[in-house]
Amino acid sequence: MDVGLLFDLRNPQQWHRPWADHYARSLEYCEEADLRGAGGVWFTEHHLFDDGYLPQPLTFAAAAAARTRHVRIGTSVLLPNLHHPARIAEDAVVVDLISGGRLELGLGAGYRVPEYELYGADFKRRIDQVGDNVREIRRLWDEGGVTPGPLQSPVPVWGGFYGPRGARLAGRLGIGLLHISREMYGHYRAGLAEGGHDPGTARVSDLLPVILADDPEAAWPRVAPHLAHQMNSYRQGSVEGTDAPRPPLLDADDFPQPPAADGSWSLLEILTPEDAATRIAERIRGLPVRHLIFWASVAGMPDDLVVRNIELISERLPVLLAERLGAVPAGVPAGD
């Protein structure tokens, strides 16, 4: 199991910095995570967001691959229905080769009608189409349908699905499930059996809604406005292109900081590394977790908080998790 960071490259107008500077700074964060022993850097995809949400994750992944040595290079997630499968297969190969075989390809269906309209894709068939595209991408690699081929054989592929149908599909495809849920894990294992795959090959990963800080109480009011922006953009974007009414806008005061009393996860929690390790260990114990992924930044939050978050996730959290789980932490060997 390794611990990594997700970058969405949001650059909201109220905290805007020049785009070239913003991209350069994000690559510096990837380098910093790599040097500090993080297990992965991950990139995600959306289109037509006002804050410039990263639209082409494999392009940015290639840049990050060239600037790092150890971290896995992942997508969480790429939207294959918006791209030709041969293009994804080729772009993914380039990232795998540049990185020396560090690619993790996470794929998902997406949820926004305008994105599908932008690319002329069929929104109603999005789950089935993801399955078709996963099969085609892997066929192109396996049969030499694109050249050159990837360095890894096979490239780790993940399905970013949150419901029973998607979890079962990931199992039938024999890929990893990019979601940690004990309920969905049962559907995923059932799908593995249906697809003729050994249930013992099951593997799960996920993005966890956690930011680390030395003083969560002090950090919370500085992060909450950025969280409000993030959640408003998701909520508003989910109804664009539909007849559903727009949800009311949230503000920073709408997000309580303390963890839920029932142990469930809030939209975002700011925790010390010690508290985070305890909560995460309780959630994942007994599951075949491969990657834990955390936000590097929430919608342009202050740089000092981003830097410290990266430091604590990369260096401190893996050790604490290993202690609580009785495991050996993944990371860069000492002296490397």
Side-chain angles (χ1 to χ4, degrees), residues 37 79 99 125 156 181 230 248 261 265 314 329:
L79 305 179
S99 68
R125 293 192 61 249
S181 161
Q230 182 191 67
W265 291 92
S314 302

Side-chain angles (χ1 to χ4, degrees), residues 137 234 320 323:
I137 291 166
Y234 281 141
L320 293 168
E323 290 174 355

